[in-house]
């Protein structure tokens, strides 16, 4: 796999890749491959490796922003912290929620037990977490949704799908019925980061083949599947 073939946006300070599902951003404890193993191939003439600005879960595919220098990394990090970034995700739910669209406003906190390990839960004293959603299609008793999160909490969409809509994301091993060989059906579809002087960073990731395999076609306006 060559991540240099997955470039969605590239200029002097920003790089957006279409991260494959199954590739972790941070190096796993078991020593298996991660994004770090591919950074040298993403220098494109720069001496420094690009650095990821945010995180996507191992199974989540799609738009991942990397900064090509430390100053840009600082600016992009602040943009995420100040909610100045537009994010869109696609997800396949293991069921069909009522209604066509809505807003999920459920604060989230972290919990940990010896039996289940750590996970995120709805917690009235947790951090504010808001997600907008709309239903795009149905197939085989499942629904394709588009999420637009206002906040960026850990596992936010995965918990909001289950607790806010009543159905987990297909393949989710923590909040759903996913097993060791399953992939969570979550895809970072679009990313827009505004900049002061330069034009905004705008990236759209192709509709995933794994979504097509479950009976869904790319929604209107989405980037086509990778050919």
């Amino acid at each position: 796999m060559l991540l240099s073939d997955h470039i969605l946006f590239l200029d002097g300070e920003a790089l957006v890749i279409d991260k494959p599902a199954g590739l972790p951003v941070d190096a796993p404890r078991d020593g298996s491959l991660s994004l770090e193993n591919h950074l040298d191939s993403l220098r494109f003439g720069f001496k420094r490796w690009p650095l990821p600005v945010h995180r996507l879960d191992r199974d989540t595919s799609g738009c991942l922003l990397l900064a090509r220098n430390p100053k840009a990394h600082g600016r992009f990090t602040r943009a995420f912290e100040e909610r100045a970034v537009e994010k869109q995700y696609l997800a396949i739910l293991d069921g069909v929620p009522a209604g066509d669209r809505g807003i999920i406003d459920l604060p989230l906190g972290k919990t940990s037990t010896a039996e289940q390990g750590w996970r995120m839960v709805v917690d009235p004293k947790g951090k504010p977490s808001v997600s907008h959603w709309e239903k795009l299609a149905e197939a085989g008793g499942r629904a394709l949704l588009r999420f637009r999160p206002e906040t960026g909490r850990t596992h936010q969409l995965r918990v909001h799908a289950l607790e806010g809509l009543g159905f987990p994301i297909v393949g989710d091993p923590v909040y759903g019925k996913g097993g060791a060989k399953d992939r969570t059906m979550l895809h970072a579809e679009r990313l827009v980061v505004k900049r002061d002087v330069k034009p905004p960073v705008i990236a759209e990731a192709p509709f995933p083949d794994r979504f097509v395999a479950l009976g869904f076609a790319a929604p209107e306006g989405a980037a086509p599947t990778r050919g």
Side-chain angles (χ1 to χ4, degrees):
M1 175 181 62
L2 295 175
L3 288 190
S4 55
D5 295 334
H6 289 241
I7 304 302
L8 302 174
F9 181 94
L10 177 65
D11 70 5
E13 63 179 22
L15 169 66
V16 182
I17 63 169
D18 180 10
K19 186 188 83 66
L23 180 70
V25 174
D26 296 316
R29 294 180 180 178
D30 62 9
S32 57
L33 294 178
S34 67
L35 177 67
E36 182 175 308
N37 298 98
H38 297 272
L39 291 178
D40 194 58
S41 68
L42 298 176
R43 289 187 296 119
F44 294 106
F46 279 36
K47 293 182 178 180
R48 298 177 183 269
W49 284 356
L51 296 175
V53 178
H54 58 121
R55 296 293 184 271
L56 295 178
D57 293 338
R58 178 195 289 257
D59 284 355
T60 303
S61 55
C63 298
L64 178 69
L65 173 65
L66 297 91
R68 303 190 71 195
N69 63 68
K71 289 184 178 180
H73 190 274
R75 290 197 302 272
F76 292 147
T77 298
R78 287 192 295 274
F80 273 86
E81 292 172 348
E82 296 169 359
R83 302 185 189 180
V85 178
E86 176 191 328
K87 297 169 285 184
Q88 283 184 189
Y89 290 78
L90 295 174
I92 298 176
L93 266 58
D94 203 4
V96 180
D100 293 326
R101 58 180 51 82
I103 301 175
I104 302 168
D105 187 351
L106 294 173
L108 301 178
K110 184 178 179 180
T111 188
S112 181
T113 64
E115 296 80 14
Q116 295 183 316
W118 75 270
R119 59 193 288 150
M120 301 299 290
V121 295
V122 175
D123 181 354
K125 297 181 180 179
K127 295 182 179 180
S129 305
V130 179
S131 304
H132 300 254
W133 67 275
E134 61 176 320
K135 184 166 56 183
L136 302 178
E138 299 177 26
R142 295 166 170 164
L144 175 66
L145 268 63
R146 176 175 284 137
F147 284 103
R148 293 184 176 90
E150 286 188 18
T151 50
R153 310 303 177 201
T154 300
H155 294 183
Q156 175 174 319
L157 299 181
R158 295 164 66 183
V159 180
H160 277 184
L162 177 62
E163 302 294 346
L165 297 174
F167 300 101
I169 296 175
V170 170
D172 194 323
V174 177
Y175 308 99
K177 305 174 184 176
K181 295 183 179 180
D182 295 319
R183 297 285 190 208
T184 305
M185 292 293 132
L186 183 60
H187 177 67
E189 174 191 34
R190 178 179 165 88
L191 182 70
V192 179
V193 185
K194 294 181 180 179
R195 297 187 283 189
D196 292 335
V197 179
K198 293 186 176 183
V201 175
I202 301 176
E204 295 183 350
F207 191 71
D209 289 339
R210 60 196 181 118
F211 282 34
V212 176
L214 291 182
F216 292 95
E220 184 178 353
T225 54
R226 189 179 296 275

